[in-house]
Amino acid sequence: MASPERPLSPHLQVYKPQLTSVLSILHRVTGVALTAGTLLLTWWLVSAAYGPDAFATAQGFVGSLIGQLILWGFTFALFYHLGNGVRHLAWDFGWGFELSQLRTSGIIMVAFAAGATLVTLIAAYAVGG
């Protein structure tokens, strides 16, 4: 029988999150966010088929502040998931398993996601107003 004083492993009070574990968790979170964002995109597209009133409702939500924040998050999730997918593809070939390479590729991947999101949003607002 297990001793009641013994903590579970890894115990959350003593576990120190590492870059690789945080990026792994964020990869899963962005996967869920992409699913939710795809449902929003589907609603927006289907509302266009239902007519002007339904589309105006969807466009009103997507154009609101909360809708814009969701789109920004969706854009970041898309680029993050893309970058991390390429990183995982490199791992499938056996590249980048040294600790320094893991840190470097993780930082590069997050910088790519942030930079690509920023460039996309600047271009979208420049074209769309």
Side-chain angles (χ1 to χ4, degrees):
M1 187 161 188
S3 173
E5 296 88 32
R6 226 173 130 181
L8 299 173
S9 177
H11 197 271
L12 294 178
Q13 292 175 338
V14 296
Y15 181 73
K16 182 180 176 191
Q18 300 167 350
L19 178 64
T20 52
S21 64
V22 171
L23 295 179
S24 176
I25 292 167
L26 191 55
H27 184 76
R28 288 168 174 83
V29 168
T30 57
V32 172
L34 287 174
T35 302
T38 302
L39 291 173
L40 177 68
L41 178 63
T42 302
W43 172 58
W44 182 73
L45 289 171
V46 169
S47 70
Y50 273 93
D53 292 335
F55 185 70
T57 302
Q59 187 66 21
F61 176 75
V62 172
S64 71
L65 180 60
I66 188 77
Q68 293 294 301
L69 290 173
I70 290 171
L71 287 175
W72 296 348
F74 180 75
T75 304
F76 176 78
L78 184 66
F79 285 121
Y80 181 88
H81 216 72
L82 171 68
N84 212 27
V86 170
R87 186 173 177 231
H88 278 259
L89 186 61
W91 292 350
D92 288 342
F93 285 102
W95 302 330
F97 283 116
E98 298 295 322
L99 190 56
S100 63
Q101 293 171 336
L102 287 170
R103 284 191 193 119
T104 302
S105 67
I107 291 169
I108 289 171
M109 190 260 312
V110 171
F112 161 74
T117 300
L118 188 62
V119 167
T120 301
L121 293 176
I122 290 171
Y125 284 110
V127 171

